[in-house]
Amino acid sequence: MKSSPFDYVRPQTVTEASVQLAQHGVTTAAIAGGQSLIPMLNLRAAQIDLLIDLSRLEELKAVSETPECLQIGALTTHAAIEDGKTPDCFQGLMRQLAGTISYRAVRNHGTIGGSVALADPAADWPGCLIALGAKVRIAGRDGTREQPVVDFVQGLYATSLADGEIVLGFDVPRPDAPLRWGFAKVARKSGAFASSIAFVVAPGKGGPVTVVLAAAGPRPLVLTAAAHRLAKGTISEDTLRAAIADDLTAQLPDADAYQNRLHTATVMRAAREMRAKS
C-alpha cells in the first residue's frame, strides 16, 4: 500500500521543528530514521497531514561524556552504538543490545530517540535505558526539561511528550563501579519483534540491582521483588524464580501460564549472565 497524501518539511533548527509540530488543526509526526513510521504510514495504520524530518538537526546527533554520565543524542543510530562509535561506559551492554535489533539495514537508519519516543512495547531501548537509570532530555516551545525514562514511557505507544516537544537525547549515569549486567531476549526468529526482553544490572558487587522486563506489557516493568532477592547475593534459583513469580503476579495479573513461563525464563537467563560476571 501507499500512504495517504501529506506535506513534508525539513526544519533547520529544533525551535523551528517544535513550532511545526505544534500546529493547531494539523496532524503532525516527526521522522528520524523512519524504520517504524514509514511502514505505519504505508499501511495507513498512521495518517498525518504534515511530516517533519528531523534528520538534519546536528544537535540531535551529539554524543559526549562527562564524569557523571554519557550524553547521547536522539538521532544516534543503533548501528553507531553497535559499532562502538559511542563511548562504552557500561561494559558492553548497549553495544550488545544494539546488535540484536532487527536487521543491519534497519540498524543503519533506526535511532535510539525514535525507539523511545515511539514507545513500542516490544522495543529494546526503553527497557535498557530504564535499567540504567537514564533521563530523557526534551525540548519544546517553553524551553527544555528532563524526565526519567521510566516516567517518560507511560504505556502502549504513549509518552509524556506534549504538543511541539522533541526528544533531544538521553543522559545515562555512569555506574560507580564496573557494571555487571545480563540481557536476554526471546523472538520468534532473528530480527523479529521480541516476545520477552529482560535486563539485570548491578554496579559492582554488594550494591543495588535493577531488573527490567520489556515486551511483556504496555510498558517496561521494573521487577522489585526479583531485584531485592538478587541484591542479597547468593540465593538459589528456586528462590529467585519465586520472586519473579511474585512480580509477575503483581504486574501482569492477566498473563497466562505460557507467558509466565516465558518471562520467568528470560529474567532467569539475564540474572545468570549478570551473576556470572566478576
Side-chain angles (χ1 to χ4, degrees), residues 2-9 27 31 37-38 41-42 46-52:
K2 293 184 178 181
S3 66
S4 56
F6 56 82
D7 292 325
Y8 169 89
V9 294
T27 303
I31 188 169
L37 181 58
I38 289 175
L41 291 173
N42 286 341
Q47 297 190 40
I48 59 173
D49 301 311
L50 178 64
L51 183 66
I52 295 99

Side-chain angles (χ1 to χ4, degrees), residues 130 134 147-154 219-220 222:
I130 289 170
Q147 185 176 26
V149 176
V150 69
D151 299 323
F152 174 77
V153 179
Q154 298 184 339
R219 53 177 298 200
V222 179

Side-chain angles (χ1 to χ4, degrees), residues 112-129:
I112 187 171
S115 172
V116 177
L118 182 63
D120 188 315
D124 299 77
W125 286 121
C128 179
L129 292 173

Side-chain angles (χ1 to χ4, degrees), residues 3-274:
S3 66
S4 56
F6 56 82
D7 292 325
Y8 169 89
V9 294
R10 180 179 285 165
Q12 302 302 307
T13 66
V14 169
T15 300
E16 183 183 346
S18 178
V19 171
Q20 291 167 341
L21 279 166
Q23 294 184 50
H24 293 293
V26 177
T27 303
T28 63
I31 188 169
Q35 299 306 292
S36 297
L37 181 58
I38 289 175
M40 293 172 68
L41 291 173
N42 286 341
L43 291 170
R44 302 202 177 190
Q47 297 190 40
I48 59 173
D49 301 311
L50 178 64
L51 183 66
I52 295 99
D53 185 350
L54 307 179
S55 62
R56 300 288 179 88
L57 299 180
E58 293 300 320
E59 67 182 283
L60 303 188
K61 301 177 183 179
V63 177
S64 62
E65 286 183 277
T66 72
E68 294 78 28
C69 69
L70 169 66
Q71 297 178 323
I72 184 165
L75 293 186
T76 303
T77 64
H78 313 314
I81 299 171
E82 177 187 13
D83 294 344
K85 294 180 180 179
T86 60
D88 183 7
C89 306
F90 311 102
Q91 278 62 54
L93 171 56
M94 294 182 71
R95 187 171 183 177
Q96 174 78 17
L97 170 62
T100 71
I101 295 174
S102 190
Y103 302 101
R104 180 67 189 198
V106 171
R107 298 196 293 273
N108 284 337
H109 297 281
T111 65
I112 187 171
S115 172
V116 177
L118 182 63
D120 188 315
D124 299 77
W125 286 121
C128 179
L129 292 173
I130 289 170
L132 292 173
K135 291 183 178 180
V136 56
R137 285 179 278 112
I138 301 163
R141 291 172 296 173
D142 299 325
T144 61
R145 65 183 178 93
E146 290 187 351
Q147 185 176 26
V149 176
V150 69
D151 299 323
F152 174 77
V153 179
Q154 298 184 339
L156 183 68
Y157 299 107
T159 70
S160 70
L161 281 178
D163 290 344
E165 287 192 323
I166 298 169
V167 174
L168 295 176
F170 306 92
D171 292 345
V172 193
R174 300 172 69 103
D176 296 331
L179 190 72
R180 295 188 300 143
W181 57 268
F183 159 59
K185 181 176 181 178
V186 176
R188 296 186 307 277
K189 64 174 184 175
S190 177
F193 286 106
S195 302
S196 184
I197 312 172
F199 302 90
V200 179
V201 301
K205 288 189 174 182
V209 177
T210 303
V211 181
V212 176
L213 176 66
R219 53 177 298 200
L221 309 174
V222 179
L223 305 188
T224 54
H228 177 72
R229 288 293 185 181
L230 284 166
K232 289 182 174 294
T234 303
I235 59 170
S236 70
E237 291 210 343
D238 286 343
T239 300
L240 177 56
R241 195 173 283 109
I244 296 168
D246 290 342
D247 282 318
L248 295 180
T249 298
Q251 300 200 53
L252 294 174
D254 297 327
D256 59 29
Y258 167 75
Q259 291 169 326
N260 282 323
R261 289 196 301 271
L262 171 65
H263 300 315
T264 299
T266 309
V267 176
M268 291 293 294
R269 284 171 50 201
R272 290 188 196 108
E273 183 179 10
M274 183 279 288

